[in-house]
Amino acid sequence: MSSIEDFKDILKHSEPLAKYSWFKIGGPAQFFLEPRNADELQAVVKCCAENEIPVRVFGGGSNILIKDSGVQGAVIRIHDQEFAQISIEGTTVTSGAGALLSNLVSQTVKEGLAGLEGLVGIPGTVGGALHGNAGGHNGDIGQFAKSVSVLTARGEKFVRTADELSFSYRESSINELAILEATFELQQADADELTERMKKNWIMKKANQPLTHQSAGCIFKNPRGMHAGALIEQAGLKGTRIGGAEISDRHANFIINDESATTENVLDLINLAQNTVSEKFGVDLELEIELW
């Protein structure tokens, strides 16, 4: 039976996770591994399964909040260039899960392929975007996914095709341990027009969101027919601070770390927002970010 120590080339012990996350907070991972390719990733996952080591997979780190106490077991970061390849054939686009969503958007726009330009400005990787069906007013990534290659917690690879994929608001049916690769079907369009559309989307987003700060994108899902940010603002919580964390005064569905925040500070703000909005408006805010 293999041991996790067999992967010493890519293994770190008690590695602080804060430096990899957008929030820049969170404790250490007991084991931290950065596989160099899909085969190595598969071998690591099989080893963890054999040794009953719990595993979490880390992409761009933009949609997670890590506890101050850290994570027991193995955290696998899918970051190597091997996982970030993008290829385009006609209107079919194949992307590694580790590719930045921003790279996928800009490459498809440059090739005159329409569909993903509305996702401009969303942080993180293609794998993370698919897992949480990232999107905005102009559509979600899932509606363009044709097939997704996944890895199970036991280290088995298989491909989910369109009829085995379902996407809803900020959710997908992809619940395996890791996404390896995905293919998308887009539509031919004029590259210059798409670039203009992408720029407009980006300007709108920059005007309304605190993109330069340490945050993790939207904290809450929008309740049906409503906006979480508007509810938090109407509850009078914009600009509220606890410790080093603050509900953004630019967009109330963002929490900002002023570089001294702890995860506990962020969780306190999350609870305050949920409780206040529930009391005032009878609406339960559901987390969009993942809590580790």
Side-chain angles (χ1 to χ4, degrees):
M1 190 163 90
S2 64
S3 150
I4 198 154
E5 300 301 331
D6 297 343
F7 297 97
K8 60 180 188 297
D9 290 357
I10 57 165
L11 172 66
K12 291 175 182 167
H13 292 269
S14 301
E15 176 72 357
L17 293 173
K19 62 182 174 188
Y20 302 102
S21 91
W22 276 56
F23 250 136
K24 299 284 174 253
I25 46 182
Q30 185 182 0
F31 306 113
F32 182 81
L33 301 107
E34 292 185 291
R36 292 163 289 198
N37 53 53
D39 289 341
E40 195 165 55
L41 169 64
Q42 190 174 20
V44 168
V45 170
K46 280 183 172 166
C47 169
C48 289
E50 283 170 11
N51 292 283
E52 297 184 357
I53 297 169
V55 176
R56 287 181 179 274
V57 171
F58 195 100
S62 62
N63 202 35
I64 54 172
L65 178 59
I66 301 155
K67 287 181 182 161
D68 295 319
S69 55
V71 179
Q72 283 298 102
V75 171
I76 299 174
R77 185 172 181 235
I78 294 181
H79 185 64
D80 197 279
Q81 273 308 108
E82 278 289 310
F83 298 102
Q85 307 298 321
I86 296 170
S87 63
I88 298 174
E89 221 168 285
T91 53
T92 303
V93 180
T94 303
S95 171
L100 290 175
L101 182 59
S102 54
N103 286 354
L104 179 64
V105 170
S106 57
Q107 283 200 36
T108 55
V109 163
K110 206 164 71 183
E111 291 290 325
L113 294 174
L116 303 180
E117 66 281 356
L119 305 179
V120 67
I122 296 175
T125 59
V126 172
L130 276 167
H131 175 65
N133 193 22
H137 302 308
N138 304 300
D140 306 323
I141 193 168
Q143 68 198 82
F144 304 102
K146 202 169 74 165
S147 70
V148 178
S149 166
V150 294
L151 185 68
T152 70
R154 291 173 58 185
E156 294 152 343
K157 283 185 199 170
F158 70 96
V159 176
R160 279 179 170 229
T161 49
D163 55 352
E164 301 168 296
L165 294 170
S166 67
F167 295 92
S168 55
Y169 173 66
R170 301 299 162 267
E171 280 182 349
S172 77
S173 61
I174 309 166
N175 54 9
E176 288 77 24
L177 178 68
I179 294 171
L180 300 173
E181 194 178 75
T183 60
F184 302 93
E185 193 53 53
L186 303 177
Q187 283 182 324
Q188 209 70 54
D190 181 79
D192 294 339
E193 275 176 35
L194 284 177
T195 304
E196 275 311 300
R197 209 183 304 166
M198 181 173 74
K199 279 183 185 159
K200 275 186 186 145
N201 287 337
W202 177 236
I203 290 163
M204 288 281 293
K205 192 159 274 198
K206 254 178 31 182
N208 295 317
Q209 296 179 4
L211 295 169
T212 51
H213 289 83
Q214 292 175 356
S215 73
C218 290
I219 297 290
F220 300 106
K221 296 178 181 179
N222 286 327
R224 193 179 290 269
M226 293 183 261
H227 290 285
L231 289 167
I232 296 165
E233 188 174 347
Q234 285 156 23
L237 295 175
K238 228 179 183 186
T240 303
R241 284 181 74 88
I242 294 179
E246 179 188 333
I247 292 176
S248 170
D249 59 4
R250 184 174 250 198
H251 190 311
N253 199 8
F254 284 73
I255 291 177
I256 292 162
N257 169 14
D258 74 356
E259 298 193 11
S260 67
T262 63
T263 301
E264 210 50 50
N265 296 156
V266 176
L267 288 172
D268 287 346
L269 280 179
I270 285 171
N271 289 334
L272 177 68
Q274 285 175 321
N275 293 338
T276 312
V277 167
S278 178
E279 277 165 28
K280 290 202 171 186
F281 308 113
V283 176
D284 292 329
L285 291 179
E286 205 183 316
L287 280 180
E288 182 170 318
I289 58 167
E290 278 185 37
L291 182 60
W292 281 21

